[in-house]
Amino acid sequence: MKVVALVSGGKDSTYNMMKCVDDGHEIVALAHAHPPEDAANEEMDSFLFQTVGSSAVGTIAECMGVPFYHAEIQGTAVTQTLDYELTQGDETEDLFLLLSKVKELHPDVGAVSVGAIFSSYQANRVQHVCDRLGLKMLAYLWHREQVALLREMVSNGVNAILIKVAAYKLGQDDLGKTLEEMEPKLVALSDKYGIHACGEGGEFESFTLDCPLFKRRIVIDECRPVVHSQSDDAPVVYLRIEKVHTEPK
């Protein structure tokens, strides 16, 4: 089946694409919702979308050699219950417009890849949009045990770095470290404090630099840390990616 992949730039959407391909599907386009161009802050605290790292997500499509479709997030989380019904002004409708555009340009697309693991809020909204467009939702990571999944991603070649931290015992020094480097610490924090090893509780976000689907790899040339909220134990800090390039593998 031909698939459009919803990509945030992070490890989960990347690894779900890999699982789609393993299952015989073909990724023919990537889709991404991002903050408005005039937004002062890349971190929008969206309920539905990862927005940190948005400025560099287009390079993932370049590395895969597929079209990249993107749209600004104009709405907000008007409906905050787990279930969703069509609501004007909700950010879910931005997703609907984005995928409608992709389907119009790629009428043979039959499914949407989404990296949801435990967020019913996210999965229900993507499913709602898919139902309206006659598309199938492919979520191979759904309800996977997170420590095992994290280790599987690392062992299967997902080279992603942390670009946001927001959890007890994670801090600015962890930004820019790879999943492989962070795996022991994340597993230890999961065991000791119950944090989600894959960041499903919002503990961290990531950006993928390379994976087996990429024909080229991403290199970050310039980035800077931005403190979103200060705390001695759990500061919220993210990397603002300002310049990247791709290079042959």
Side-chain angles (χ1 to χ4, degrees):
M1 189 180 299
K2 294 186 184 298
V3 175
V4 55
L6 292 177
V7 290
S8 64
K11 62 181 180 14
D12 301 337
S13 56
T14 298
Y15 194 55
N16 199 72
M17 286 194 292
M18 291 171 58
K19 300 300 285 184
C20 285
V21 172
D22 287 346
D23 205 28
H25 301 296
E26 179 187 2
I27 308 295
V28 297
L30 305 188
H32 174 67
H34 58 82
E37 297 295 339
D38 59 354
N41 195 326
E42 195 174 50
E43 174 54 280
M44 291 183 64
D45 291 322
S46 167
F47 281 44
L48 184 58
F49 305 108
Q50 172 182 318
T51 57
V52 172
S54 284
S55 60
V57 173
T59 55
I60 292 178
E62 178 185 340
C63 288
M64 292 179 63
V66 298
F68 179 61
Y69 300 97
H70 59 96
E72 291 186 355
I73 302 167
Q74 300 289 343
T76 59
V78 176
T79 301
Q80 298 184 11
T81 56
L82 286 183
D83 292 329
Y84 179 76
E85 295 181 357
L86 197 157
T87 305
Q88 294 303 320
D90 193 279
E91 59 188 352
T92 305
E93 297 309 306
D94 296 321
L95 178 61
F96 175 77
L97 293 175
L98 175 59
L99 290 180
S100 296
K101 175 183 175 182
V102 174
K103 188 174 182 186
E104 179 182 348
L105 295 171
H106 299 267
D108 54 349
V109 162
V112 176
S113 169
V114 58
I117 302 176
F118 274 99
S119 173
S120 294
Y121 182 95
Q122 179 189 36
N124 289 349
R125 280 152 177 76
V126 176
Q127 185 66 67
H128 189 279
V129 169
C130 286
D131 289 346
R132 289 159 64 187
L133 293 172
L135 299 170
K136 181 178 181 180
M137 184 175 76
L138 300 176
Y140 290 94
L141 314 186
W142 189 242
H143 283 192
R144 290 284 308 274
E145 197 282 317
Q146 291 191 48
V147 170
L149 180 57
L150 175 65
R151 288 172 170 159
E152 186 179 303
M153 290 181 184
V154 172
S155 65
N156 283 312
V158 176
N159 179 16
I161 60 169
L162 268 63
I163 59 169
K164 179 184 174 183
V165 292
Y168 186 61
K169 295 297 183 180
L170 293 178
Q172 186 171 323
D173 290 345
D174 295 313
L175 295 176
K177 292 184 178 178
T178 66
L179 289 183
E180 185 173 14
E181 292 171 320
M182 288 297 299
E183 180 189 323
K185 182 174 183 176
L186 293 172
V187 171
L189 291 176
S190 176
D191 291 341
K192 190 170 184 179
Y193 300 111
I195 79 159
H196 297 274
C198 282
E200 274 295 281
E203 293 89 345
F204 68 91
E205 292 176 358
S206 60
F207 187 82
T208 304
L209 302 177
D210 193 14
C211 80
L213 298 182
F214 290 10
K215 300 178 177 70
R216 299 172 64 85
R217 65 169 62 91
I218 299 170
V219 178
I220 297 176
D221 301 307
E222 296 177 15
C223 63
R224 59 182 174 88
V226 177
V227 178
H228 191 58
S229 64
Q230 190 58 269
S231 165
D232 291 337
D233 294 324
V236 179
V237 191
Y238 69 89
L239 282 183
R240 172 78 184 189
I241 300 174
E242 298 185 327
K243 184 179 179 182
V244 300
H245 73 272
T246 66
E247 64 181 23
K249 297 172 69 168

